[in-house]
Amino acid sequence: MRTHADCRMLLVMSGANAASSSPGPGGFEETLKDFWASRPRRPIHGRKVAGVAAGIGNRYGIDPVLVRVAFVTATIFGGAGVSLYLLSWLLFPGEYDEVSPIEALAGHHRSSMSKGFTIALIVLFFPLTSWAFAGGWFSGGGVIGLAMLVTALYLLHRSRGQFNRPVAPVVEKATGAAFSMSSSAPSAERSSSWDPLGAAPLGWDLPDPAPAPTPPPPRKPAPSRRRNSAVGLATFAVALVVAGVGAALGSSGVTWFSVQHIIGLALGVLGVGMVTGAFLNGGRGLIGWAIPLSIAGLVTTAVPISDYTGGYGNITAVPHTAAEVQRVYQHTAGDIDLDLTRLDATAPVTTDVRNGAGNTTVVVPANADVRYSCQVQAGNVDCLGNQSDGVGRAAVTGTDLGPDGVGGPQITLNIRQAAGSVEVRRD
């Protein structure tokens, strides 16, 4: 028959064996269960908004800046980043919380987030998610962005889930050990073991104390975050080659290689390099290139530059006769300088100028009668003193006869540009 001491020894030995076994990668289902059991905790210090990126970085021993860039990029291209961030906010518990906000809302223990704020986040989550997946957020690639983020998080847990496993706060429960003392009176013939307090000797046989909780196993230190410059240099070189080849193919007439596609390809290369650098502890310098490229991608996606073709570079034209004036001056990106001051006054002139991104300048004779329509999707317009600036503004139209009134060359200008500036002035 085992004594209480033997039972306590068995409990301690079994707890030590359980603590020493680290979770293996297992299959897909086991990985998901282990992720949920050891999911990141949102820290109090080092957070920017809710601590989701900082929690993921601390959990898997990577730079939180890389996680933030991934969320921002997925938000710009598709809108899934903000939806997944809100979902992580609801499912990841705080650093000192017992459960996550969504679990606390269901009545399972305590969270520092109020129930009202949790409900507000849930209400905000659904319209943002539906907008992203319905294609209303710029490029509409919400499904692709969500798949990439979830896959990256899954691979992180598979490869680095053994590091920095969080220890949840102990939930205290009210417990007590009840015992009773016999009040039977002693016999007339008192023995030497008689209890002077009037209790039976067996009444003081208290239960053995519960075994002390086994301390959690020490955290395995994450590998040091040393910089691996080779990853960054190789990724940057490949991104340059991809962008250069795409620009060359676009200039040669391959319409698929638009500005948006070239920026997207370069960002894809940088993203692969940053994910690789997260595993090899390097490539942080790529963030400085990914952020401006993301902004450029946002602008080119919101502004329909793909409607403009004709290659890249600058166009300078100085026609001397009406026959030399082209019907359309068109460019994808670059500056267009059109000088019409050398024209003779024998025939009216009509021309269209279309530019994707850059600066367009048209100079007309001082005595010309000019009818114009100038429009820029994002930028500023100054057509013979008629000005406009901003995003999505209507075309600036009008007729300007010059200081001499009616007479002189008759010129009709139709200028349409995606981004940049348009100027029409007299010589």
Side-chain angles (χ1 to χ4, degrees), residues 29-45:
E29 184 178 355
E30 289 76 11
T31 302
L32 293 183
K33 290 180 179 179
D34 185 67
F35 170 78
W36 178 257
S38 63
R39 61 192 186 275
R41 288 184 166 268
R42 297 178 289 107
I44 300 298
H45 304 288

PDB file of all heavy atoms in Angstrom, residues 29-45:
ATOM      1  N   GLU A  29      -2.845  19.430 -37.809  1.00  0.00           N
ATOM      2  CA  GLU A  29      -3.774  19.642 -36.701  1.00  0.00           C
ATOM      3  C   GLU A  29      -3.029  19.865 -35.396  1.00  0.00           C
ATOM      4  O   GLU A  29      -3.404  20.737 -34.596  1.00  0.00           O
ATOM      5  CB  GLU A  29      -4.715  18.444 -36.587  1.00  0.00           C
ATOM      6  CG  GLU A  29      -5.780  18.609 -35.514  1.00  0.00           C
ATOM      7  CD  GLU A  29      -6.724  17.420 -35.446  1.00  0.00           C
ATOM      8  OE1 GLU A  29      -6.588  16.511 -36.304  1.00  0.00           O
ATOM      9  OE2 GLU A  29      -7.584  17.399 -34.550  1.00  0.00           O
ATOM     10  N   GLU A  30      -1.953  19.067 -35.168  1.00  0.00           N
ATOM     11  CA  GLU A  30      -1.183  19.240 -33.936  1.00  0.00           C
ATOM     12  C   GLU A  30      -0.520  20.612 -33.897  1.00  0.00           C
ATOM     13  O   GLU A  30      -0.420  21.235 -32.831  1.00  0.00           O
ATOM     14  CB  GLU A  30      -0.130  18.137 -33.818  1.00  0.00           C
ATOM     15  CG  GLU A  30      -0.673  16.754 -33.510  1.00  0.00           C
ATOM     16  CD  GLU A  30      -1.315  16.104 -34.710  1.00  0.00           C
ATOM     17  OE1 GLU A  30      -1.141  16.652 -35.820  1.00  0.00           O
ATOM     18  OE2 GLU A  30      -1.972  15.063 -34.557  1.00  0.00           O
ATOM     19  N   THR A  31      -0.061  21.090 -35.053  1.00  0.00           N
ATOM     20  CA  THR A  31       0.568  22.413 -35.091  1.00  0.00           C
ATOM     21  C   THR A  31      -0.428  23.502 -34.745  1.00  0.00           C
ATOM     22  O   THR A  31      -0.120  24.439 -33.996  1.00  0.00           O
ATOM     23  CB  THR A  31       1.168  22.669 -36.483  1.00  0.00           C
ATOM     24  OG1 THR A  31       2.117  21.643 -36.784  1.00  0.00           O
ATOM     25  CG2 THR A  31       1.868  24.017 -36.527  1.00  0.00           C
ATOM     26  N   LEU A  32      -1.649  23.401 -35.266  1.00  0.00           N
ATOM     27  CA  LEU A  32      -2.667  24.403 -34.951  1.00  0.00           C
ATOM     28  C   LEU A  32      -3.033  24.380 -33.475  1.00  0.00           C
ATOM     29  O   LEU A  32      -3.199  25.442 -32.845  1.00  0.00           O
ATOM     30  CB  LEU A  32      -3.906  24.163 -35.807  1.00  0.00           C
ATOM     31  CG  LEU A  32      -3.767  24.381 -37.309  1.00  0.00           C
ATOM     32  CD1 LEU A  32      -5.110  24.167 -38.008  1.00  0.00           C
ATOM     33  CD2 LEU A  32      -3.240  25.776 -37.616  1.00  0.00           C
ATOM     34  N   LYS A  33      -3.154  23.168 -32.901  1.00  0.00           N
ATOM     35  CA  LYS A  33      -3.481  23.078 -31.484  1.00  0.00           C
ATOM     36  C   LYS A  33      -2.361  23.665 -30.622  1.00  0.00           C
ATOM     37  O   LYS A  33      -2.621  24.371 -29.639  1.00  0.00           O
ATOM     38  CB  LYS A  33      -3.736  21.620 -31.099  1.00  0.00           C
ATOM     39  CG  LYS A  33      -5.025  21.042 -31.674  1.00  0.00           C
ATOM     40  CD  LYS A  33      -5.209  19.593 -31.245  1.00  0.00           C
ATOM     41  CE  LYS A  33      -6.504  19.008 -31.791  1.00  0.00           C
ATOM     42  NZ  LYS A  33      -6.677  17.593 -31.402  1.00  0.00           N
ATOM     43  N   ASP A  34      -1.120  23.377 -31.000  1.00  0.00           N
ATOM     44  CA  ASP A  34       0.003  23.906 -30.227  1.00  0.00           C
ATOM     45  C   ASP A  34       0.110  25.418 -30.383  1.00  0.00           C
ATOM     46  O   ASP A  34       0.449  26.123 -29.433  1.00  0.00           O
ATOM     47  CB  ASP A  34       1.305  23.232 -30.668  1.00  0.00           C
ATOM     48  CG  ASP A  34       2.479  23.661 -29.810  1.00  0.00           C
ATOM     49  OD1 ASP A  34       2.489  23.322 -28.617  1.00  0.00           O
ATOM     50  OD2 ASP A  34       3.379  24.356 -30.335  1.00  0.00           O
ATOM     51  N   PHE A  35      -0.207  25.927 -31.576  1.00  0.00           N
ATOM     52  CA  PHE A  35      -0.200  27.385 -31.761  1.00  0.00           C
ATOM     53  C   PHE A  35      -1.221  28.056 -30.860  1.00  0.00           C
ATOM     54  O   PHE A  35      -0.950  29.078 -30.234  1.00  0.00           O
ATOM     55  CB  PHE A  35      -0.476  27.726 -33.221  1.00  0.00           C
ATOM     56  CG  PHE A  35      -0.716  29.197 -33.452  1.00  0.00           C
ATOM     57  CD1 PHE A  35       0.342  30.085 -33.502  1.00  0.00           C
ATOM     58  CD2 PHE A  35      -2.006  29.691 -33.597  1.00  0.00           C
ATOM     59  CE1 PHE A  35       0.126  31.440 -33.686  1.00  0.00           C
ATOM     60  CE2 PHE A  35      -2.242  31.035 -33.785  1.00  0.00           C
ATOM     61  CZ  PHE A  35      -1.171  31.915 -33.831  1.00  0.00           C
ATOM     62  N   TRP A  36      -2.427  27.464 -30.794  1.00  0.00           N
ATOM     63  CA  TRP A  36      -3.462  28.068 -29.952  1.00  0.00           C
ATOM     64  C   TRP A  36      -3.081  27.995 -28.473  1.00  0.00           C
ATOM     65  O   TRP A  36      -3.310  28.945 -27.723  1.00  0.00           O
ATOM     66  CB  TRP A  36      -4.787  27.377 -30.200  1.00  0.00           C
ATOM     67  CG  TRP A  36      -5.897  27.914 -29.345  1.00  0.00           C
ATOM     68  CD1 TRP A  36      -6.436  27.347 -28.241  1.00  0.00           C
ATOM     69  CD2 TRP A  36      -6.576  29.159 -29.536  1.00  0.00           C
ATOM     70  NE1 TRP A  36      -7.413  28.141 -27.717  1.00  0.00           N
ATOM     71  CE2 TRP A  36      -7.525  29.276 -28.488  1.00  0.00           C
ATOM     72  CE3 TRP A  36      -6.476  30.181 -30.473  1.00  0.00           C
ATOM     73  CZ2 TRP A  36      -8.368  30.361 -28.379  1.00  0.00           C
ATOM     74  CZ3 TRP A  36      -7.322  31.271 -30.353  1.00  0.00           C
ATOM     75  CH2 TRP A  36      -8.254  31.346 -29.322  1.00  0.00           C
ATOM     76  N   ALA A  37      -2.484  26.873 -28.069  1.00  0.00           N
ATOM     77  CA  ALA A  37      -2.108  26.729 -26.660  1.00  0.00           C
ATOM     78  C   ALA A  37      -0.978  27.669 -26.272  1.00  0.00           C
ATOM     79  O   ALA A  37      -0.897  28.099 -25.117  1.00  0.00           O
ATOM     80  CB  ALA A  37      -1.713  25.281 -26.376  1.00  0.00           C
ATOM     81  N   SER A  38      -0.093  27.984 -27.210  1.00  0.00           N
ATOM     82  CA  SER A  38       1.058  28.837 -26.897  1.00  0.00           C
ATOM     83  C   SER A  38       1.066  30.089 -27.759  1.00  0.00           C
ATOM     84  O   SER A  38       2.126  30.587 -28.130  1.00  0.00           O
ATOM     85  CB  SER A  38       2.361  28.063 -27.110  1.00  0.00           C
ATOM     86  OG  SER A  38       2.500  27.681 -28.476  1.00  0.00           O
ATOM     87  N   ARG A  39      -0.110  30.590 -28.106  1.00  0.00           N
ATOM     88  CA  ARG A  39      -0.196  31.738 -29.003  1.00  0.00           C
ATOM     89  C   ARG A  39       0.452  32.969 -28.369  1.00  0.00           C
ATOM     90  O   ARG A  39       0.532  33.080 -27.134  1.00  0.00           O
ATOM     91  CB  ARG A  39      -1.647  32.032 -29.378  1.00  0.00           C
ATOM     92  CG  ARG A  39      -2.562  32.373 -28.214  1.00  0.00           C
ATOM     93  CD  ARG A  39      -4.016  32.354 -28.694  1.00  0.00           C
ATOM     94  NE  ARG A  39      -4.957  32.795 -27.688  1.00  0.00           N
ATOM     95  CZ  ARG A  39      -5.478  32.030 -26.760  1.00  0.00           C
ATOM     96  NH1 ARG A  39      -5.108  30.763 -26.688  1.00  0.00           N
ATOM     97  NH2 ARG A  39      -6.350  32.524 -25.887  1.00  0.00           N
ATOM     98  N   PRO A  40       0.912  33.915 -29.189  1.00  0.00           N
ATOM     99  CA  PRO A  40       1.622  35.084 -28.644  1.00  0.00           C
ATOM    100  C   PRO A  40       0.743  35.890 -27.690  1.00  0.00           C
ATOM    101  O   PRO A  40      -0.485  35.893 -27.803  1.00  0.00           O
ATOM    102  CB  PRO A  40       1.967  35.892 -29.901  1.00  0.00           C
ATOM    103  CG  PRO A  40       1.946  34.910 -31.011  1.00  0.00           C
ATOM    104  CD  PRO A  40       0.891  33.912 -30.655  1.00  0.00           C
ATOM    105  N   ARG A  41       1.423  36.559 -26.785  1.00  0.00           N
ATOM    106  CA  ARG A  41       0.750  37.471 -25.856  1.00  0.00           C
ATOM    107  C   ARG A  41       1.150  38.902 -26.194  1.00  0.00           C
ATOM    108  O   ARG A  41       2.311  39.176 -26.477  1.00  0.00           O
ATOM    109  CB  ARG A  41       1.111  37.142 -24.401  1.00  0.00           C
ATOM    110  CG  ARG A  41       0.476  35.854 -23.912  1.00  0.00           C
ATOM    111  CD  ARG A  41       0.762  35.581 -22.451  1.00  0.00           C
ATOM    112  NE  ARG A  41      -0.123  34.535 -21.948  1.00  0.00           N
ATOM    113  CZ  ARG A  41      -1.277  34.768 -21.370  1.00  0.00           C
ATOM    114  NH1 ARG A  41      -1.675  36.020 -21.185  1.00  0.00           N
ATOM    115  NH2 ARG A  41      -2.052  33.766 -20.964  1.00  0.00           N
ATOM    116  N   ARG A  42       0.174  39.790 -26.175  1.00  0.00           N
ATOM    117  CA  ARG A  42       0.417  41.193 -26.527  1.00  0.00           C
ATOM    118  C   ARG A  42       1.091  41.906 -25.354  1.00  0.00           C
ATOM    119  O   ARG A  42       0.497  42.042 -24.281  1.00  0.00           O
ATOM    120  CB  ARG A  42      -0.905  41.872 -26.884  1.00  0.00           C
ATOM    121  CG  ARG A  42      -1.569  41.274 -28.107  1.00  0.00           C
ATOM    122  CD  ARG A  42      -2.906  41.927 -28.429  1.00  0.00           C
ATOM    123  NE  ARG A  42      -3.927  41.570 -27.457  1.00  0.00           N
ATOM    124  CZ  ARG A  42      -4.401  42.371 -26.541  1.00  0.00           C
ATOM    125  NH1 ARG A  42      -3.938  43.621 -26.447  1.00  0.00           N
ATOM    126  NH2 ARG A  42      -5.329  41.976 -25.693  1.00  0.00           N
ATOM    127  N   PRO A  43       2.334  42.367 -25.535  1.00  0.00           N
ATOM    128  CA  PRO A  43       3.058  42.958 -24.408  1.00  0.00           C
ATOM    129  C   PRO A  43       2.571  44.364 -24.090  1.00  0.00           C
ATOM    130  O   PRO A  43       1.933  45.030 -24.912  1.00  0.00           O
ATOM    131  CB  PRO A  43       4.510  42.970 -24.907  1.00  0.00           C
ATOM    132  CG  PRO A  43       4.379  43.106 -26.382  1.00  0.00           C
ATOM    133  CD  PRO A  43       3.150  42.333 -26.765  1.00  0.00           C
ATOM    134  N   ILE A  44       2.893  44.796 -22.892  1.00  0.00           N
ATOM    135  CA  ILE A  44       2.563  46.158 -22.480  1.00  0.00           C
ATOM    136  C   ILE A  44       3.560  47.147 -23.070  1.00  0.00           C
ATOM    137  O   ILE A  44       3.190  48.215 -23.555  1.00  0.00           O
ATOM    138  CB  ILE A  44       2.537  46.265 -20.946  1.00  0.00           C
ATOM    139  CG1 ILE A  44       1.491  45.308 -20.366  1.00  0.00           C
ATOM    140  CG2 ILE A  44       2.261  47.699 -20.508  1.00  0.00           C
ATOM    141  CD1 ILE A  44       0.078  45.603 -20.794  1.00  0.00           C
ATOM    142  N   HIS A  45       4.827  46.786 -23.041  1.00  0.00           N
ATOM    143  CA  HIS A  45       5.883  47.673 -23.531  1.00  0.00           C
ATOM    144  C   HIS A  45       6.310  47.239 -24.928  1.00  0.00           C
ATOM    145  O   HIS A  45       6.324  46.053 -25.248  1.00  0.00           O
ATOM    146  CB  HIS A  45       7.077  47.645 -22.577  1.00  0.00           C
ATOM    147  CG  HIS A  45       6.741  48.006 -21.158  1.00  0.00           C
ATOM    148  ND1 HIS A  45       6.433  49.297 -20.771  1.00  0.00           N
ATOM    149  CD2 HIS A  45       6.639  47.236 -20.034  1.00  0.00           C
ATOM    150  CE1 HIS A  45       6.165  49.306 -19.475  1.00  0.00           C
ATOM    151  NE2 HIS A  45       6.284  48.072 -19.007  1.00  0.00           N
TER     152      HIS A  45
END
